[in-house]
Amino acid sequence: MKKRYPHITYKIQQNESAQLCKMVKERVIQLAIVRFPLELDDFSVMQAYPLILPSTEGLGVYHMIVEEFSRRKLEVNLLSECSDIPMLLELVSSGFAATIVPEIVLKMHKGHELKATRIDDTHLSAASGIIWLKDHYLSMAARHFIEQIRQ
């Protein structure tokens, strides 16, 4: 995108998927990359690559993990939640607790003393996609970004 449109500027807003949907509805941002499942009746949707991210209670990966424990009839001792990944990994490496995070999180945040065990399970994955408000104006930059992703 930067090569094709070198003068475009970006504002990257990190947040939970539900909050990003709200921001798109309120036109604070034009596009959002979100995790599914979500209520998306008001949005146009383009699915992208699979994406797994940690999250806070009731949303995203947190919800998927709790559901999976429930599905397997396993009790889990939830001590707390933390959406700040560097802080979460620091707490784990200090021995405060254990966690379940996507493998990519560990690759991106190296330097923590952690013991990692891979969980190979397709139930613990989610798709992601780009959303924008249906039937509303999109800037040329936003349209170019969507086209770039489609290619």
Side-chain angles (χ1 to χ4, degrees), residues 14-18 20-21 32-40 49-56 59-62 64 102 126-131:
Q14 181 180 345
N15 221 313
E16 291 296 333
S17 293
L20 291 171
C21 287
I33 299 173
V34 297
R35 291 179 303 280
F36 303 131
L38 284 170
E39 180 59 45
L40 296 168
Y49 305 103
L51 181 66
I52 306 172
L53 296 174
S55 184
T56 55
L59 299 170
V61 171
Y62 180 101
M64 287 180 358
S128 61
I130 298 172
I131 63 165

Side-chain angles (χ1 to χ4, degrees), residues 6 11 20 40 51 66 72 81 122:
K11 177 184 178 187
L20 291 171
L40 296 168
L51 181 66
V66 170
R72 294 176 187 230
E81 60 190 60
T122 57

Side-chain angles (χ1 to χ4, degrees), residues 77-137:
N77 180 11
L78 294 176
L79 180 63
S80 70
E81 60 190 60
C82 182
S83 62
D84 182 336
I85 298 306
M87 173 61 80
L88 173 67
L89 296 178
E90 194 60 39
L91 289 169
V92 171
S93 69
S94 73
F96 182 73
T99 191
I100 298 173
V101 295
E103 186 176 8
I104 189 69
V105 170
L106 297 178
K107 289 179 181 176
M108 290 174 60
H109 297 275
K110 295 178 181 177
H112 296 278
E113 296 288 327
L114 300 171
K115 180 182 184 232
T117 303
R118 178 184 293 248
I119 300 172
D120 290 321
D121 191 331
T122 57
H123 289 99
L124 292 174
S125 64
S128 61
I130 298 172
I131 63 165
W132 60 95
L133 217 47
K134 283 183 180 177
D135 303 320
H136 286 279
Y137 173 80

Side-chain angles (χ1 to χ4, degrees), residues 1-58:
M1 183 77 177
K2 190 69 175 165
K3 284 182 182 177
R4 283 180 89 175
Y5 309 101
H7 301 293
I8 289 179
T9 59
Y10 306 88
K11 177 184 178 187
I12 299 173
Q13 179 72 44
Q14 181 180 345
N15 221 313
E16 291 296 333
S17 293
Q19 181 64 21
L20 291 171
C21 287
K22 182 179 180 227
M23 292 171 78
V24 170
K25 279 185 179 180
E26 293 172 354
R27 299 185 147 182
V28 173
I29 58 176
Q30 290 188 26
L31 304 170
I33 299 173
V34 297
R35 291 179 303 280
F36 303 131
L38 284 170
E39 180 59 45
L40 296 168
D41 292 340
D42 295 331
F43 301 97
S44 295
V45 179
M46 183 178 84
Q47 289 214 210
Y49 305 103
L51 181 66
I52 306 172
L53 296 174
S55 184
T56 55
E57 185 173 354

